[in-house]
Amino acid sequence: MPKAGELTYLANLGEGGREHSLEKPFSDPSCGIALASIGFIMTLLPPPPARILDLGCGGGWTSIFFAKRGYEVVGQDIAPDMIDLARENCARHGLSARLSFLCGDFESLDLDGSFDAAIFFDSLHHAEDELLAIGSAYKALKPGGALITHEPGEGHATAPESIEAMRIYGVTERDMPPHLIMRRGKEVGFTDARILPIPHYLHDLFYAGRKYPRRLLSKRRWNSAKRVLKMLFRPDPSLSSIVVMTK
């Protein structure tokens, strides 16, 4: 049963995995990209002290960043030991006045419509039923509230690291592209969906080291220009992306 894998994930990681979770994102090789992603998401949120629901928060590092920014944050996770770790992490940072956690399945939450924004940060793709999860977020939001997702697109479930995680830990790894998120969002009542590029792609385009041919209109330069224009005017609904929807 896949959810059993989610419930035992932290225990199966061992002490090294626990320390890694406590120190995220700084313990992660992709720390810079993760920090950029959180920064981008903060620009999409209403100003502090808005009330934020952080869905599938794991060890709580995303919740801590939002709380440090001045938001009133509730972090949610399905695994009791992850919630214990998140509370320990919260205490280390002295944020208990504006950060709390709840243990439950984000596919069956019944919250009170008091949140200004809800966020799935690399967590919705672990859902067995994304319609139920997105419906939970919808019910948790105030009218006019925003759901923001940062999720992997098509190909994630068949990537070697995903197959390995499913084999070793028994967790759910699914493709969660924008077209699926937006379709499910529309079914539960969300409107005004937007697709935005994740920092990983921006880094690949603008910051990664590469040597271009001297010719201004070389094939490589032209392909890069086409990618930029597509991001601006016709974002690909199959790629890993940030999606913003409004209640």
Side-chain angles (χ1 to χ4, degrees), residues 182-195:
M182 293 188 298
R183 184 170 77 246
R184 294 308 198 194
K186 186 176 181 180
E187 288 177 39
V188 302
F190 281 108
T191 60
D192 302 324
R194 287 194 293 155
I195 302 173

Side-chain angles (χ1 to χ4, degrees), residues 83-157:
I83 290 297
D84 289 343
L85 186 70
R87 287 176 175 144
E88 178 184 337
N89 214 353
C90 173
R92 289 172 64 186
H93 290 271
L95 292 168
S96 57
R98 56 176 178 265
L99 174 56
S100 61
F101 295 95
L102 66 89
C103 188
D105 186 343
F106 59 37
E107 293 177 28
S108 57
L109 295 179
D110 189 17
L111 298 176
D112 56 2
S114 65
F115 291 91
D116 299 288
I119 300 162
F120 287 105
F121 188 93
D122 290 345
S123 57
L124 184 58
H125 69 278
H126 296 304
E128 291 182 1
D129 188 326
E130 75 285 346
L131 180 63
L132 291 176
I134 292 170
S136 288
Y138 183 86
K139 287 188 287 186
L141 290 169
K142 299 175 182 176
L147 173 62
I148 302 171
T149 68
H150 177 289
E151 295 295 330
E154 292 179 1
H156 173 77

